[in-house]
Amino acid sequence: MLFRSIGAIAVTMLISAGFAYVAATSLGLPFGAMFLAYSPGGMEAMTVMAMALGIDPFFVAAHHLARFVLLHAGLPLGLGWLIGKPKA
């Protein structure tokens, strides 16, 4: 169970790092800020970590808030499209 948890964390961090790298290079922003903005975790924890690392905490918090809103709004829409309407 421990190794599966470590593997899941590693996979999510690699996915976050990949998206952060693409966004940072295409937008010309610092990789550290983008990585914290895309990292899985609580908004308050990532905001405090951004303050401790000298990264703009508003930038990180705004991206986390946008991620939460898009996930909560997009997941039902995406599942509805994927599953389709029930047949009567």
Side-chain angles (χ1 to χ4, degrees), residues 53-72:
L53 295 173
I55 297 171
D56 184 13
F58 181 74
F59 179 81
V60 173
H63 278 81
H64 272 275
L65 184 61
R67 182 173 61 100
F68 293 152
V69 169
L70 288 174
L71 277 174
H72 285 92

